[in-house]
Amino acid sequence: MAFLGTLMVQAALLSLPQITSGSVYDNVASRNTSNASSEIGGPFHSTDSQNPPQFEITNVSMEENASHLMLLSASEAAHGSGQHFYAEVCAALNCHRSLPLSNVRNFGEAAVGKSGGTCVVAFRGTANLPDVMQDASSYNLVPFGCSGCRVGAGFVSGYESVAGQIKGALRSLGCHSVAVTGHSLGAAKAVLGMYDLARSGFHIDTSYVFGEPRMANGAFQGSFHSVVHAAVFRVVHGKDPIVTLGGPGASAVGSEIYEAGNSPLTDHLHYAGVDMTTCMPDGVPGGAAEERAGEEAADAAEQAAHRVPGGEQAVQAAESAAECCMRMKW
């Protein structure tokens, strides 16, 4: 129930009125946020998601640093502006806009197209109740791909529902290699897509996914990296709570790029300086500037509360309530 409740919060983000994050939520999130860099692949850090990303590579040798930087430079040059370009693709698909691709085949849950000479497959994030049910059912891990491999059930069913159309579209476009991307639920499907397409004879190019939940067990991780011989980057924005979700023993796939962020309420909606859900109603949080303004107001209110009788106890009670809600403990 805790997992399902948190997924319902994700769905609610698609229709919330104006929300501002404050220090109460940040204090709770700082206690709850796990160390995402413990996943497969070391972390890269981007300190300003509104500008071309700055990368910090940790726990590797000087030679490995140079290799990673050469890889990043090549991939950025080859694929538009790298993660920003693929974030734009995801945002367009999420909001049913024209994709920044040519020769587009759009299947609703996913789309295929070209960026110059690069073939691209993109998977849509959570957008409706059936998608929420896919998210929820993914707490249960089921066999997929290899002996011992287990992946979230909803991710598998969602991917398999469009896999045939995707492969047909790629073949009709004459694609032999492909970059794959997706946001949220779409990120998990994108990982499955990379794996399945590689096993079907396609070469996987450097790929980016955004806000990927923990989706598969260790056996799948090992099989994925034995099949997909490409740089796969999973971008994590600040306190995005979706990246911590997953079934027992599940973890995310790909080398982490961390973008600085400060809101567990809205970081999932903004990646690489792109509003991933611009189709949301007017008044929905619009990015870092609004988040900072809200936090400043919340900080001021908290400081004022500490100066009145009983105020400190009220703040502690609010933090406890926020922690309850964020963990869905009821």
Side-chain angles (χ1 to χ4, degrees):
M1 282 301 294
F3 182 79
L4 179 57
T6 309
L7 287 168
M8 296 308 294
V9 169
Q10 178 186 1
L13 286 174
L14 299 176
S15 58
L16 281 174
Q18 179 71 34
I19 298 174
T20 55
S21 62
S23 57
V24 167
Y25 288 96
D26 288 343
N27 290 342
V28 173
S30 68
R31 295 198 294 269
N32 294 342
T33 303
S34 62
N35 182 3
S37 65
S38 63
E39 308 293 349
I40 299 296
F44 303 86
H45 295 276
S46 173
T47 57
D48 184 356
S49 62
Q50 304 299 321
N51 296 306
Q54 304 293 318
F55 297 101
E56 175 188 338
I57 305 171
T58 60
N59 299 324
V60 294
S61 67
M62 184 177 296
E63 291 79 8
E64 289 172 316
N65 265 335
S67 175
H68 280 302
L69 288 172
M70 290 176 64
L71 171 64
L72 287 168
S73 297
S75 66
E76 293 287 301
H79 303 293
S81 57
Q83 67 194 79
H84 180 84
F85 171 74
Y86 287 106
E88 291 279 12
V89 172
C90 290
L93 185 59
N94 284 350
C95 289
H96 312 287
R97 298 197 312 266
S98 296
L99 275 68
L101 303 170
S102 61
N103 304 108
V104 173
R105 275 68 162 172
N106 194 327
F107 312 114
E109 296 289 321
V112 175
K114 282 191 169 185
S115 174
T118 301
C119 294
V120 178
V121 175
F123 290 86
R124 192 185 71 198
T126 303
N128 51 41
L129 185 57
D131 289 346
V132 172
M133 298 311 295
Q134 287 182 22
D135 286 323
S137 64
S138 292
Y139 185 74
N140 178 40
L141 303 183
V142 298
F144 181 84
C146 73
S147 176
C149 289
R150 300 186 72 83
V151 177
F155 303 147
V156 172
S157 64
Y159 170 69
E160 289 181 341
S161 70
V162 293
Q165 292 171 295
I166 289 169
K167 293 174 187 177
L170 288 171
R171 293 187 179 108
S172 72
L173 291 174
C175 299
H176 301 287
S177 61
V178 58
V180 188
T181 190
H183 170 245
S184 190
L185 169 64
K189 294 180 185 179
V191 170
L192 296 184
M194 293 177 220
Y195 181 76
D196 184 43
L197 290 171
R199 296 180 72 190
S200 299
F202 292 91
H203 172 77
I204 306 302
D205 289 329
T206 298
S207 297
Y208 295 82
V209 295
F210 306 88
E212 176 197 339
R214 301 187 178 200
M215 55 166 295
N217 69 354
F220 179 83
Q221 298 270 2
S223 183
F224 180 91
H225 290 291
S226 71
V227 170
V228 178
H229 305 294
V232 177
F233 298 110
R234 56 183 180 89
V235 188
V236 175
H237 183 197
K239 297 174 182 176
D240 181 348
I242 303 306
V243 302
T244 67
L245 299 181
S251 56
V253 176
S255 297
E256 179 185 309
I257 296 177
Y258 177 80
E259 294 180 344
N262 49 27
S263 173
L265 294 177
T266 60
D267 282 351
H268 186 64
L269 307 180
H270 309 281
Y271 269 93
V274 176
D275 182 347
M276 305 301 283
T277 51
T278 51
C279 47
M280 296 168 72
D282 290 341
V284 170
E290 291 184 17
E291 291 170 25
R292 284 194 298 269
E295 286 171 357
E296 289 171 1
D299 285 337
E302 182 175 346
Q303 293 301 318
H306 281 294
R307 291 194 292 269
V308 301
E312 186 169 352
Q313 290 81 357
V315 169
Q316 291 172 351
E319 289 186 359
S320 177
E323 183 167 5
C324 170
C325 292
M326 290 179 69
R327 294 183 178 179
M328 296 300 146
K329 290 183 176 179
W330 45 53

Coordinates of all heavy atoms in Angstrom, one line a residue, residues 100-161:
P100 N 10.5 17.1 -31.9 CA 11.6 17.7 -32.6 C 12.4 16.7 -33.4 O 13.6 16.6 -33.4 CB 12.5 18.3 -31.5 CG 12.3 17.5 -30.3 CD 10.8 17.0 -30.4
L101 N 11.7 15.9 -34.2 CA 12.2 14.8 -35.0 C 11.5 14.8 -36.4 O 10.5 15.4 -36.5 CB 12.0 13.4 -34.3 CG 12.5 13.2 -32.9 CD1 11.9 11.9 -32.3 CD2 14.0 13.2 -32.9
S102 N 12.1 14.2 -37.3 CA 11.5 14.0 -38.6 C 11.0 12.6 -38.8 O 11.4 11.7 -38.0 CB 12.6 14.3 -39.7 OG 13.7 13.4 -39.7
N103 N 10.2 12.4 -39.8 CA 9.7 11.0 -40.1 C 9.1 10.4 -38.9 O 9.3 9.2 -38.6 CB 10.8 10.1 -40.7 CG 11.4 10.7 -41.9 OD1 12.6 11.2 -41.8 ND2 10.7 10.8 -43.0
V104 N 8.3 11.1 -38.1 CA 7.8 10.6 -36.8 C 6.6 9.6 -37.0 O 5.7 9.8 -37.8 CB 7.3 11.8 -35.9 CG1 6.6 11.2 -34.7 CG2 8.4 12.7 -35.6
R105 N 6.7 8.5 -36.3 CA 5.6 7.5 -36.1 C 5.3 7.5 -34.7 O 6.0 7.1 -33.8 CB 6.1 6.1 -36.5 CG 6.0 5.7 -38.0 CD 6.9 6.5 -38.9 NE 7.1 5.8 -40.2 CZ 7.8 6.3 -41.2 NH1 8.3 7.5 -41.1 NH2 7.9 5.7 -42.3
N106 N 4.1 8.0 -34.4 CA 3.7 8.2 -33.0 C 2.6 7.2 -32.6 O 1.5 7.2 -33.3 CB 3.2 9.6 -32.8 CG 3.0 10.0 -31.3 OD1 2.7 9.2 -30.4 ND2 3.3 11.3 -31.0
F107 N 2.9 6.4 -31.6 CA 1.9 5.4 -31.2 C 1.3 5.7 -29.8 O 0.6 4.8 -29.2 CB 2.6 4.0 -31.1 CG 3.5 3.7 -32.3 CD1 4.9 3.6 -32.2 CD2 2.9 3.5 -33.5 CE1 5.6 3.3 -33.3 CE2 3.7 3.2 -34.6 CZ 5.0 3.1 -34.5
G108 N 1.4 6.9 -29.4 CA 0.8 7.4 -28.1 C 1.7 7.1 -27.0 O 2.2 8.0 -26.3
E109 N 1.9 5.8 -26.7 CA 2.8 5.4 -25.6 C 4.2 5.5 -25.9 O 5.1 5.6 -25.0 CB 2.5 3.9 -25.2 CG 1.1 3.6 -24.6 CD 0.9 4.2 -23.2 OE1 1.9 4.1 -22.4 OE2 -0.2 4.7 -23.0
A110 N 4.5 5.6 -27.2 CA 5.9 5.7 -27.7 C 5.9 6.3 -29.1 O 4.8 6.4 -29.7 CB 6.6 4.3 -27.7
A111 N 7.1 6.7 -29.5 CA 7.2 7.3 -30.9 C 8.6 7.0 -31.4 O 9.5 6.8 -30.7 CB 7.0 8.8 -30.8
V112 N 8.6 7.0 -32.7 CA 9.9 6.7 -33.4 C 10.1 7.8 -34.4 O 9.1 8.3 -35.1 CB 9.9 5.4 -34.2 CG1 11.1 5.2 -35.0 CG2 9.7 4.2 -33.2
G113 N 11.3 8.3 -34.6 CA 11.6 9.3 -35.6 C 13.1 9.5 -35.8 O 13.9 8.6 -35.3
K114 N 13.5 10.5 -36.5 CA 14.9 10.7 -36.8 C 15.4 12.1 -36.4 O 14.6 13.1 -36.5 CB 15.2 10.5 -38.3 CG 15.3 9.1 -38.7 CD 15.9 8.9 -40.1 CE 16.2 7.5 -40.4 NZ 16.8 7.4 -41.8
S115 N 16.6 12.2 -35.9 CA 17.2 13.5 -35.6 C 18.5 13.5 -36.5 O 19.5 12.9 -36.1 CB 17.6 13.7 -34.2 OG 18.3 14.9 -34.0
G116 N 18.4 14.2 -37.7 CA 19.5 14.1 -38.6 C 19.6 12.6 -39.1 O 18.6 12.0 -39.5
G117 N 20.8 12.0 -38.9 CA 21.0 10.6 -39.2 C 20.8 9.7 -38.1 O 21.0 8.5 -38.3
T118 N 20.3 10.2 -36.9 CA 20.2 9.4 -35.8 C 18.7 9.0 -35.6 O 17.8 9.8 -35.5 CB 20.6 10.1 -34.5 OG1 22.0 10.4 -34.6 CG2 20.4 9.2 -33.3
C119 N 18.4 7.7 -35.5 CA 17.1 7.2 -35.2 C 16.8 7.2 -33.7 O 17.7 7.0 -32.9 CB 17.0 5.7 -35.7 SG 17.1 5.6 -37.5
V120 N 15.6 7.6 -33.4 CA 15.3 7.8 -31.9 C 14.0 7.1 -31.6 O 13.0 7.2 -32.4 CB 15.2 9.4 -31.6 CG1 14.7 9.6 -30.2 CG2 16.5 10.1 -31.9
V121 N 14.0 6.4 -30.5 CA 12.7 5.9 -29.9 C 12.5 6.6 -28.6 O 13.4 6.7 -27.8 CB 12.8 4.4 -29.7 CG1 11.5 3.9 -29.0 CG2 13.0 3.7 -31.0
A122 N 11.3 7.1 -28.4 CA 11.0 7.8 -27.1 C 9.7 7.1 -26.5 O 8.8 6.8 -27.2 CB 10.7 9.3 -27.3
F123 N 9.7 7.0 -25.2 CA 8.6 6.4 -24.4 C 8.0 7.5 -23.5 O 8.7 8.2 -22.8 CB 9.0 5.3 -23.6 CG 9.4 4.1 -24.4 CD1 10.7 3.9 -24.9 CD2 8.5 3.1 -24.7 CE1 11.1 2.8 -25.7 CE2 8.9 2.0 -25.5 CZ 10.2 1.9 -26.0
R124 N 6.6 7.6 -23.6 CA 5.9 8.6 -22.8 C 5.9 8.2 -21.3 O 5.8 7.1 -20.9 CB 4.5 8.7 -23.3 CG 3.7 9.9 -22.8 CD 2.2 9.8 -23.2 NE 1.5 8.7 -22.6 CZ 0.4 8.2 -23.0 NH1 -0.2 8.6 -24.1 NH2 -0.2 7.2 -22.3
G125 N 5.9 9.3 -20.4 CA 5.8 9.1 -19.0 C 4.3 8.8 -18.6 O 3.4 8.7 -19.4
T126 N 4.1 8.7 -17.3 CA 2.8 8.5 -16.7 C 1.9 9.6 -17.1 O 2.1 10.8 -16.8 CB 2.9 8.4 -15.2 OG1 3.8 7.3 -14.9 CG2 1.5 8.1 -14.6
A127 N 0.7 9.3 -17.8 CA -0.1 10.4 -18.3 C -1.6 10.1 -18.0 O -2.4 11.0 -18.2 CB 0.1 10.5 -19.8
N128 N -2.0 8.9 -17.6 CA -3.4 8.6 -17.4 C -3.5 7.4 -16.4 O -2.5 6.9 -15.9 CB -4.0 8.2 -18.7 CG -3.3 7.2 -19.5 OD1 -2.8 6.2 -18.9 ND2 -3.2 7.4 -20.8
L129 N -4.7 7.0 -16.1 CA -4.9 6.0 -15.1 C -4.3 4.7 -15.5 O -3.7 4.0 -14.6 CB -6.4 5.9 -14.8 CG -6.8 4.9 -13.7 CD1 -6.1 5.2 -12.4 CD2 -8.3 4.8 -13.4
P130 N -4.5 4.2 -16.7 CA -3.8 2.9 -17.1 C -2.3 3.0 -16.9 O -1.7 2.0 -16.5 CB -4.2 2.8 -18.6 CG -5.5 3.5 -18.8 CD -5.4 4.7 -17.8
D131 N -1.7 4.2 -17.1 CA -0.2 4.3 -16.9 C 0.0 4.2 -15.4 O 1.0 3.5 -15.0 CB 0.3 5.6 -17.4 CG 0.3 5.7 -18.9 OD1 0.2 4.7 -19.6 OD2 0.5 6.9 -19.4
V132 N -0.8 4.8 -14.5 CA -0.6 4.6 -13.1 C -0.7 3.2 -12.7 O 0.0 2.7 -11.8 CB -1.7 5.5 -12.3 CG1 -1.6 5.2 -10.8 CG2 -1.5 7.0 -12.6
M133 N -1.6 2.4 -13.3 CA -1.7 1.0 -12.9 C -0.5 0.2 -13.4 O -0.1 -0.7 -12.7 CB -3.0 0.4 -13.6 CG -4.3 1.1 -13.1 SD -4.4 1.2 -11.3 CE -4.4 -0.6 -10.9
Q134 N 0.1 0.6 -14.5 CA 1.4 0.0 -14.9 C 2.4 0.3 -13.9 O 3.2 -0.6 -13.5 CB 1.8 0.5 -16.3 CG 1.0 0.0 -17.4 CD 1.6 0.5 -18.8 OE1 2.7 0.9 -18.9 NE2 0.7 0.5 -19.8
D135 N 2.5 1.5 -13.4 CA 3.4 1.9 -12.3 C 3.2 1.0 -11.1 O 4.2 0.4 -10.5 CB 3.3 3.4 -11.9 CG 3.8 4.3 -13.0 OD1 4.9 4.0 -13.6 OD2 3.2 5.4 -13.2
A136 N 2.0 0.9 -10.7 CA 1.6 0.2 -9.4 C 2.0 -1.2 -9.5 O 2.5 -1.8 -8.6 CB 0.2 0.4 -9.1
S137 N 1.6 -1.9 -10.7 CA 1.9 -3.3 -10.8 C 3.4 -3.6 -11.0 O 3.8 -4.8 -10.8 CB 1.1 -3.8 -12.0 OG 1.6 -3.3 -13.2
S138 N 4.2 -2.6 -11.2 CA 5.6 -2.8 -11.3 C 6.3 -3.1 -10.0 O 7.5 -3.4 -10.0 CB 6.3 -1.7 -12.1 OG 5.8 -1.6 -13.4
Y139 N 5.6 -3.0 -8.9 CA 6.2 -3.4 -7.6 C 6.4 -4.9 -7.6 O 7.3 -5.4 -6.9 CB 5.2 -3.0 -6.5 CG 5.8 -3.3 -5.1 CD1 6.8 -2.5 -4.6 CD2 5.3 -4.3 -4.4 CE1 7.3 -2.7 -3.3 CE2 5.8 -4.6 -3.1 CZ 6.8 -3.8 -2.6 OH 7.3 -4.0 -1.3
N140 N 5.7 -5.6 -8.4 CA 5.8 -7.0 -8.6 C 6.8 -7.3 -9.7 O 6.6 -6.9 -10.9 CB 4.5 -7.7 -8.9 CG 4.6 -9.2 -9.1 OD1 5.3 -9.8 -8.4 ND2 3.8 -9.7 -10.1
L141 N 7.9 -8.0 -9.5 CA 8.9 -8.3 -10.5 C 8.6 -9.6 -11.1 O 8.3 -10.6 -10.5 CB 10.3 -8.3 -9.9 CG 10.8 -7.1 -9.1 CD1 12.2 -7.2 -8.6 CD2 10.6 -5.8 -10.0
V142 N 8.7 -9.6 -12.5 CA 8.3 -10.9 -13.2 C 9.5 -11.2 -14.2 O 10.3 -10.3 -14.5 CB 7.0 -10.7 -14.1 CG1 5.9 -10.4 -13.1 CG2 7.2 -9.5 -15.1
P143 N 9.6 -12.4 -14.6 CA 10.7 -12.8 -15.5 C 10.7 -12.0 -16.8 O 9.6 -11.7 -17.4 CB 10.4 -14.3 -15.8 CG 9.6 -14.8 -14.7 CD 8.7 -13.6 -14.3
F144 N 11.9 -11.6 -17.3 CA 12.0 -10.9 -18.6 C 13.4 -11.1 -19.1 O 14.4 -10.7 -18.4 CB 11.7 -9.4 -18.4 CG 11.7 -8.6 -19.7 CD1 10.7 -8.6 -20.6 CD2 12.9 -8.0 -20.1 CE1 10.7 -7.9 -21.8 CE2 13.0 -7.2 -21.2 CZ 11.9 -7.2 -22.1
G145 N 13.5 -11.6 -20.3 CA 14.8 -11.5 -21.0 C 15.8 -12.7 -20.8 O 16.2 -13.2 -21.8
C146 N 16.1 -13.0 -19.6 CA 17.2 -14.0 -19.4 C 16.8 -14.8 -18.1 O 15.9 -14.4 -17.4 CB 18.5 -13.3 -19.2 SG 18.7 -12.4 -17.6
S147 N 17.5 -15.9 -18.0 CA 17.3 -16.7 -16.8 C 17.6 -16.0 -15.5 O 18.7 -15.5 -15.4 CB 18.2 -18.0 -16.9 OG 18.0 -18.8 -15.8
G148 N 16.7 -15.9 -14.7 CA 16.9 -15.2 -13.4 C 16.6 -13.7 -13.5 O 16.5 -13.0 -12.4
C149 N 16.4 -13.1 -14.7 CA 16.1 -11.7 -14.8 C 14.6 -11.5 -14.4 O 13.7 -12.2 -14.8 CB 16.2 -11.3 -16.3 SG 18.0 -11.2 -16.8
R150 N 14.5 -10.4 -13.6 CA 13.1 -10.0 -13.1 C 13.0 -8.5 -13.2 O 13.9 -7.8 -12.8 CB 12.9 -10.5 -11.7 CG 13.0 -12.0 -11.6 CD 12.6 -12.5 -10.2 NE 11.1 -12.4 -10.0 CZ 10.2 -13.3 -10.4 NH1 10.6 -14.4 -11.1 NH2 9.0 -13.2 -10.2
V151 N 11.8 -8.1 -13.8 CA 11.6 -6.7 -14.1 C 10.2 -6.3 -13.6 O 9.3 -7.2 -13.6 CB 11.8 -6.4 -15.6 CG1 11.4 -4.9 -15.9 CG2 13.2 -6.7 -16.0
G152 N 9.9 -5.1 -13.3 CA 8.5 -4.7 -12.9 C 7.5 -5.1 -13.9 O 7.6 -4.8 -15.1
A153 N 6.4 -5.7 -13.4 CA 5.4 -6.3 -14.3 C 4.8 -5.3 -15.2 O 4.6 -5.5 -16.4 CB 4.4 -7.0 -13.5
G154 N 4.4 -4.1 -14.7 CA 3.8 -3.1 -15.5 C 4.7 -2.5 -16.6 O 4.2 -2.2 -17.7
F155 N 6.0 -2.4 -16.2 CA 6.9 -1.9 -17.2 C 7.0 -2.9 -18.4 O 7.0 -2.5 -19.6 CB 8.3 -1.8 -16.6 CG 8.4 -0.9 -15.4 CD1 9.3 -1.1 -14.4 CD2 7.5 0.2 -15.3 CE1 9.3 -0.3 -13.3 CE2 7.6 1.1 -14.2 CZ 8.5 0.8 -13.2
V156 N 7.0 -4.2 -18.1 CA 7.1 -5.3 -19.1 C 5.8 -5.2 -20.0 O 5.9 -5.2 -21.2 CB 7.2 -6.7 -18.5 CG1 7.1 -7.7 -19.6 CG2 8.6 -6.8 -17.8
S157 N 4.6 -5.2 -19.4 CA 3.4 -5.2 -20.2 C 3.3 -4.0 -21.0 O 2.9 -4.0 -22.2 CB 2.2 -5.4 -19.3 OG 2.0 -4.3 -18.4
G158 N 3.7 -2.8 -20.5 CA 3.6 -1.6 -21.2 C 4.6 -1.6 -22.4 O 4.2 -1.1 -23.5
Y159 N 5.8 -2.1 -22.2 CA 6.7 -2.1 -23.3 C 6.3 -3.1 -24.4 O 6.3 -2.8 -25.6 CB 8.1 -2.5 -22.8 CG 9.0 -2.8 -24.0 CD1 9.4 -1.7 -24.8 CD2 9.4 -4.1 -24.3 CE1 10.2 -2.0 -26.0 CE2 10.2 -4.3 -25.4 CZ 10.6 -3.3 -26.3 OH 11.4 -3.5 -27.4
E160 N 5.8 -4.3 -24.0 CA 5.5 -5.3 -25.0 C 4.3 -4.9 -25.8 O 4.1 -5.3 -26.9 CB 5.2 -6.6 -24.2 CG 6.5 -7.2 -23.7 CD 6.3 -8.6 -23.0 OE1 5.1 -8.9 -22.6 OE2 7.2 -9.3 -22.9
S161 N 3.4 -4.0 -25.3 CA 2.2 -3.5 -26.0 C 2.6 -2.7 -27.2 O 1.8 -2.6 -28.2 CB 1.3 -2.8 -25.1 OG 1.9 -1.5 -24.8

